[in-house]
Amino acid sequence: MSPEELRTLDQTDPLRHKREEFLLPEGVIYLDGNSLGALPKAVAARLERTIKEEWGRDLIQSWNRHGWIDLPQRVGARIARLVGAGADEVLVADSTSVNLFKLLLAALRLRPERRVILSEVDNFPTDLYIAEGVRALLGQFELRRVAREELEAALDEDTAVLLLTEVDYRTGYRHDMAHLTRLAHQKGALVLWDLAHSTGAFPVHLGACGVDFAVGCGYKYLNGGPGAPAFLFVARRHQAALKPFLTGWMGHQEPFAFSPLYLPAEGVRRMLVGTPPILSLSALEAALGVFEGVDMELVRQKSLRLTELFMALMEPLEARYGFRLATPRAPERRGSQVAYRHPQGYAIIQALAAQGVVGDFRAPDILRFGFAPLYLRYTEVYEAVERLGQVMEQGLWQDPRYQERAKVT
Ligand SMILES: *Cc1c(COP(=O)(O)O)cnc(C)c1O
């Protein structure tokens, strides 16, 4: 496609007005919204109000007056629409890692006669680390980490919980959630999906897929800001039987009865532990405003076109400079990112960032480009590949300062 054709695509893009709702730095093409979402304009004003009027002026009365106490459920209800869940099935709390811990423990308690937590060896490290910690804590379980191709065969009557991330953080491979959930259920296992690279990038159908539990991230495609609280999903049918392990007072039926005895709250609220982080929750709530009224099917369509375009433009560079595509070409098998392998991946990503194109690097050799459909333009995809071509042609990545690894990659 020519630059003119891409300009026309931008001008007729049904999501084109969404970009104006973000504050994006001048001259930067941001292909890392899958790692830290861009800043929605509404966030600063909302934080200013929450800080000055709510915290500053109304102080502790804000818990009631400004509904602080209900924020975990209120924000959860807004996320629910994006993941195909009921408003009463999603709660915002803690980090993704902590929510994994809480839900995995609670899920295992629903399958005490079984032995195995099944996951993928290439699952995101925190998912595996948390599962290993849970295994060590409970003792009687085994953590089985298998290759993706072996998952289906490994599912059996001994599987208590199937723990998977829908979209692979390195390659962008997307699992068939409906199929794997069905298979797990046929074996009597429960499923826990990590939606870190799904939520906000395309429509997720937790209810239609019959998913039991899920967790997801607030700071990636949901744009909630660095370290934004995460969310968790508990299917309604499991809520009454669910026994939290972290039985904190905010998950109590009546936190302000100050009873010495623990009684779980009704519904998903029992998965709360401590006092919710009001500033972060307010930022996330304001950020979610950009999804208001947005048809997630349109988001998916644009995401597929952006990633398709990127892969097509990259093709000549693959052979010339030794990039190897790591992302599936089949649209139904990929999320909203495209990854390439290259032995000099780290330095190339640094040199490219110096040219105003921000992607990221994942060890050992993955260059990762995320495509957030709400604020990216087709012409930017074109420009990004142009600049990558220059970085390679001029050997800009060979500059020694691009070899030095920073603490965060
Ligand atoms: C980003 C990410 C997380 C993040 O977990 P935190 O607890 O928020 O640090 C978890 N799982 C996956 C698959 C991720 O990509």
Side-chain angles (χ1 to χ4, degrees):
M1 265 200 216
S2 69
E4 289 76 59
E5 286 172 297
L6 296 175
R7 257 193 294 280
T8 309
L9 262 189
D10 280 335
Q11 283 156 6
T12 55
D13 171 11
L15 295 172
R16 65 190 176 280
H17 297 302
K18 283 284 142 190
R19 185 185 171 95
E20 296 152 23
E21 295 181 34
F22 290 88
L23 210 74
L24 292 159
E26 200 65 37
V28 170
I29 298 174
Y30 193 57
L31 304 183
D32 215 359
N34 54 321
S35 208
L36 175 65
L39 171 63
K41 286 178 183 164
V43 171
R46 170 63 185 272
L47 278 182
E48 164 117 5
R49 200 179 79 222
T50 305
I51 290 170
K52 289 196 176 150
E53 294 173 23
E54 300 180 8
W55 177 14
R57 186 191 63 205
D58 294 340
L59 288 163
I60 200 156
Q61 289 174 315
S62 295
W63 284 105
N64 293 313
R65 189 175 294 170
H66 300 293
W68 284 359
I69 196 70
D70 299 319
L71 262 178
Q73 281 159 291
R74 204 162 79 218
V75 184
R78 295 186 87 154
I79 294 173
R81 182 183 76 86
L82 306 180
V83 295
D88 58 339
E89 294 178 306
V90 181
L91 182 79
V92 175
D94 305 306
S95 63
T96 306
S97 303
V98 171
N99 286 332
L100 274 165
F101 179 82
K102 295 189 299 188
L103 286 187
L104 184 55
L105 272 165
L108 290 173
R109 285 178 149 186
L110 294 175
R111 289 290 180 276
E113 71 291 354
R114 296 183 172 224
R115 296 270 77 82
V116 175
I117 306 165
L118 179 62
S119 193
E120 194 181 333
V121 71
D122 286 327
N123 199 346
F124 189 77
T126 209
D127 299 57
L128 296 177
Y129 302 163
I130 291 285
E132 172 53 25
V134 165
R135 186 210 60 76
L137 179 71
L138 296 182
Q140 86 247 39
F141 291 92
E142 174 198 338
L143 172 60
R144 202 174 289 166
R145 286 160 286 208
V146 305
R148 182 183 303 144
E149 312 77 60
E150 291 160 18
L151 275 172
E152 296 192 13
L155 259 175
D156 60 21
E157 270 71 24
D158 227 11
T159 311
V161 175
L162 173 64
L163 168 68
L164 291 176
T165 298
E166 186 185 15
V167 176
D168 185 293
Y169 73 106
R170 283 199 185 97
T171 64
Y173 174 92
R174 182 183 178 186
H175 277 296
D176 186 341
M177 176 184 281
H179 173 69
L180 284 166
T181 300
R182 197 178 321 114
L183 277 188
H185 287 169
Q186 278 167 9
K187 301 289 181 187
L190 295 164
V191 292
L192 200 179
W193 285 99
D194 184 333
L195 305 175
H197 294 282
S198 311
T199 320
F202 51 80
V204 177
H205 304 288
L206 291 177
C209 291
V211 169
D212 303 290
F213 306 101
V215 296
C217 198
Y219 52 80
K220 291 172 178 163
Y221 294 99
L222 294 185
N223 313 304
F231 69 89
L232 60 85
F233 160 88
V234 179
R236 206 170 289 128
R237 64 184 178 280
H238 292 307
Q239 290 180 2
L242 205 66
K243 280 196 179 148
F245 192 89
L246 296 179
T247 45
W249 74 307
M250 282 293 151
H252 191 277
Q253 209 173 74
E254 284 186 273
F256 293 91
F258 295 101
S259 157
L261 296 177
Y262 174 79
L263 278 175
E266 287 291 312
V268 73
R269 198 169 68 80
R270 68 181 54 180
M271 298 313 289
L272 271 184
V273 182
T275 305
I278 298 305
L279 297 183
S280 306
L281 274 164
S282 301
L284 177 57
E285 186 175 45
L288 286 168
V290 301
F291 285 98
E292 212 51 39
V294 169
D295 178 353
M296 290 305 290
E297 291 296 340
L298 283 182
V299 173
R300 176 62 169 166
Q301 277 170 28
K302 183 174 174 190
S303 155
L304 287 178
R305 291 179 97 167
L306 290 165
T307 48
E308 195 77 49
L309 173 66
F310 185 74
M311 289 190 286
L313 293 167
M314 278 293 290
E315 249 169 53
L317 276 66
E318 285 184 46
R320 201 176 308 151
Y321 301 115
F323 291 105
R324 284 184 299 127
L325 180 65
T327 302
R329 286 195 185 273
E332 67 278 11
R333 286 285 69 80
R334 67 175 194 268
S336 202
Q337 68 179 65
V338 179
Y340 291 88
R341 296 184 186 280
H342 193 289
Q344 297 300 333
Y346 184 78
I348 295 169
I349 283 289
Q350 305 311 309
L352 188 60
Q355 301 300 311
V357 180
V358 180
D360 65 18
F361 171 79
R362 286 292 172 263
D365 61 352
I366 294 260
L367 298 93
R368 195 171 68 152
F369 302 98
F371 297 82
L374 292 190
Y375 49 84
L376 261 189
R377 293 180 175 140
Y378 295 98
T379 42
E380 289 181 295
V381 173
Y382 181 89
E383 186 57 30
V385 178
E386 283 288 296
R387 293 191 204 170
L388 179 55
Q390 286 161 14
V391 164
M392 299 313 294
E393 191 175 309
Q394 299 167 21
L396 298 179
W397 59 270
Q398 291 170 27
D399 189 319
R401 75 199 143 120
Y402 299 140
Q403 310 285 338
E404 281 165 35
R405 299 275 168 123
K407 217 175 203 172
V408 177
T409 63

